[in-house]
Amino acid sequence: DGGITQSPKYLFRKEGQNVTLSCEQNLNHDAMYWYRQDPGQGLRLIYYSQIVNDFQKGDIAEGYSVSREKKESFPLTVTSAQKNPTAFYLCASSMSGTATGELFFGEGSRLTVL
Amino acid sequence: RKEVEQDPGPFNVPEGATVAFNCTYSNSASQSFFWYRQDCRKEPKLLMSVYSSGNEDGRFTAQLNRASQYISLLIRDSKLSDSATYLCVVKTRTGNQFYFGTGTSLTVIP
């Protein structure tokens, strides 16, 4: 079955540590996205990538980094520079170049900083 | 001004009731419109796309008013299982960008 796989589902981190969240899709989508959701809040865009080897900052990119070396993969690194990293992280993908292509989401990664 | 605005609710309605959610968007060049459903501590899932002529899927009806830049979702005969947060999502014409409302919380009460 096609879909988006995020790992790990739950992650605990000590302050000052970098962590990398994995996102893999087998939908053959060009565009991939990382969102952050805080309790009771909407989704905020961290980074997005429209094509391999290219990515753009979203609204809250500070303290995060990404890479897009393969079409299927878009890992997100939460660095120690991110002041308040505890949140629910959602990876998504969509088909580029279509008028109505919707977003497909992974199941999310819940990061807690201790 | 936010790209997409929704009334956060909460909406608490009895089973069988009809409930309507509205959403407004600021970019008149927006191209595609969606309603997503998000259950507690889960990822959002597509409920339905919204077409210019309006569309219906069972108990759910979506409407788009481009002139007034708003989107609506009507749920008829509410079920307990409809309890969730409903997200309004707008896709731009260029740049393949999606903008989310903060979501409207619905609780259907027995």
Side-chain angles (χ1 to χ4, degrees):
Chain A
D1 285 336
I4 301 177
T5 302
Q6 286 187 242
S7 63
K9 268 192 141 177
Y10 299 95
L11 184 61
F12 297 88
R13 181 193 102 174
K14 292 182 180 178
E15 280 193 27
Q17 287 181 333
N18 292 354
V19 294
T20 296
L21 307 180
S22 169
C23 178
E24 303 279 330
Q25 55 100 356
N26 60 4
L27 299 167
N28 199 34
H29 286 168
D30 288 312
M32 297 187 74
Y33 308 79
W34 274 104
Y35 294 92
R36 168 182 172 142
Q37 188 174 37
D38 294 283
Q41 305 286 319
L43 276 70
R44 292 185 290 168
L45 181 64
I46 305 172
Y47 268 99
Y48 64 100
S49 169
Q50 304 284 12
I51 197 168
V52 174
N53 292 323
D54 186 53
F55 48 83
Q56 309 294 329
K57 291 182 179 180
D59 301 318
I60 55 165
E62 187 175 347
Y64 299 97
S65 66
V66 293
S67 62
R68 187 85 187 274
E69 296 176 3
K70 298 188 299 182
K71 187 175 185 178
E72 303 80 21
S73 179
F74 191 40
L76 173 74
T77 296
V78 185
T79 76
S80 56
Q82 169 49 235
K83 299 299 180 194
N84 186 21
T86 295
F88 186 41
Y89 291 88
L90 287 158
C91 180
S93 70
S94 75
M95 185 82 76
S96 292
T98 62
T100 56
E102 71 265 31
L103 269 179
F104 293 80
F105 285 90
E107 292 185 339
S109 293
R110 200 166 293 276
L111 172 64
T112 302
V113 173
L114 304 171
Chain B
R1 185 183 170 186
K2 289 184 180 178
E3 294 278 347
V4 179
E5 304 225 33
Q6 278 184 263
D7 179 351
F11 284 67
N12 299 314
V13 302
E15 270 187 290
T18 296
V19 61
F21 307 138
N22 292 322
C23 165
T24 59
Y25 61 94
S26 60
N27 187 346
S28 59
S30 297
Q31 180 182 48
S32 305
F33 309 88
F34 310 92
W35 283 101
Y36 278 74
R37 171 193 169 125
Q38 186 174 25
D39 292 293
C40 188
R41 300 177 69 84
K42 299 282 192 180
E43 77 276 20
K45 293 184 179 176
L46 180 69
L47 178 66
M48 57 198 303
S49 301
V50 187
Y51 302 121
S52 296
S53 54
N55 47 299
E56 189 173 303
D57 182 3
R59 298 181 292 108
F60 300 86
T61 301
Q63 297 278 353
L64 168 63
N65 185 321
R66 284 191 184 270
S68 301
Q69 294 181 206
Y70 84 78
I71 308 145
S72 65
L73 176 69
L74 184 77
I75 305 176
R76 292 182 300 278
D77 188 22
S78 299
K79 310 291 184 193
L80 296 176
S81 58
D82 293 334
S83 298
T85 296
Y86 291 84
L87 302 171
C88 173
V89 183
V90 174
K91 182 179 179 181
T92 58
R93 192 179 301 279
T94 58
N96 210 34
Q97 282 300 300
F98 293 82
Y99 294 94
F100 290 78
T102 52
T104 300
S105 173
L106 172 67
T107 301
V108 180
I109 304 163

